Amino acid sequence: MRGLPAIAAMWEAERTGPDEDFRMTSEPVALDGDTAVVRVEVTYGEPTRQQYRDLWIIRFAGDGRCRAFEEWPFWPEKSYRPD
């Protein structure tokens, strides 16, 4: 996705509605110059209906805004073995 309108449209299409219940925690695990790696856990619903973990790789511009973002999601309950 590129640009705020594209990101907003993607998020809107993915969620169940504006009052969707979710919790997100994050913790930086590496910082080097303009690059940060952050571990994120997201849980949807109460009781939990979906949960996943992410690694975010964020590169910052000189003014502090994000200039590049990569997301590496992991679903704990998903099998990653080939069929």
Side-chain angles (χ1 to χ4, degrees):
M1 300 288 133
R2 288 188 183 268
L4 292 177
I7 293 168
M10 185 254 330
W11 273 94
E12 193 62 38
E14 299 278 329
R15 69 183 186 158
T16 60
D19 297 325
E20 181 176 39
D21 182 34
F22 77 96
R23 291 177 308 283
M24 182 170 71
T25 60
S26 61
E27 176 183 9
V29 294
L31 303 169
D32 184 22
D34 67 349
T35 304
V37 178
V38 180
R39 183 177 189 269
V40 180
E41 291 197 37
V42 183
T43 304
Y44 288 93
E46 186 60 48
T48 300
R49 65 176 171 75
Q50 182 181 12
Q51 181 178 23
Y52 68 94
R53 297 181 186 130
D54 271 340
L55 284 180
W56 291 352
I57 302 172
I58 308 166
R59 291 186 174 86
F60 295 95
D63 63 3
R65 294 185 299 162
C66 177
R67 70 175 172 83
F69 175 83
E70 286 181 56
E71 179 179 24
W72 293 82
F74 169 76
W75 286 266
E77 70 280 356
K78 182 179 177 182
S79 172
Y80 287 90
R81 288 188 267 160
D83 293 337

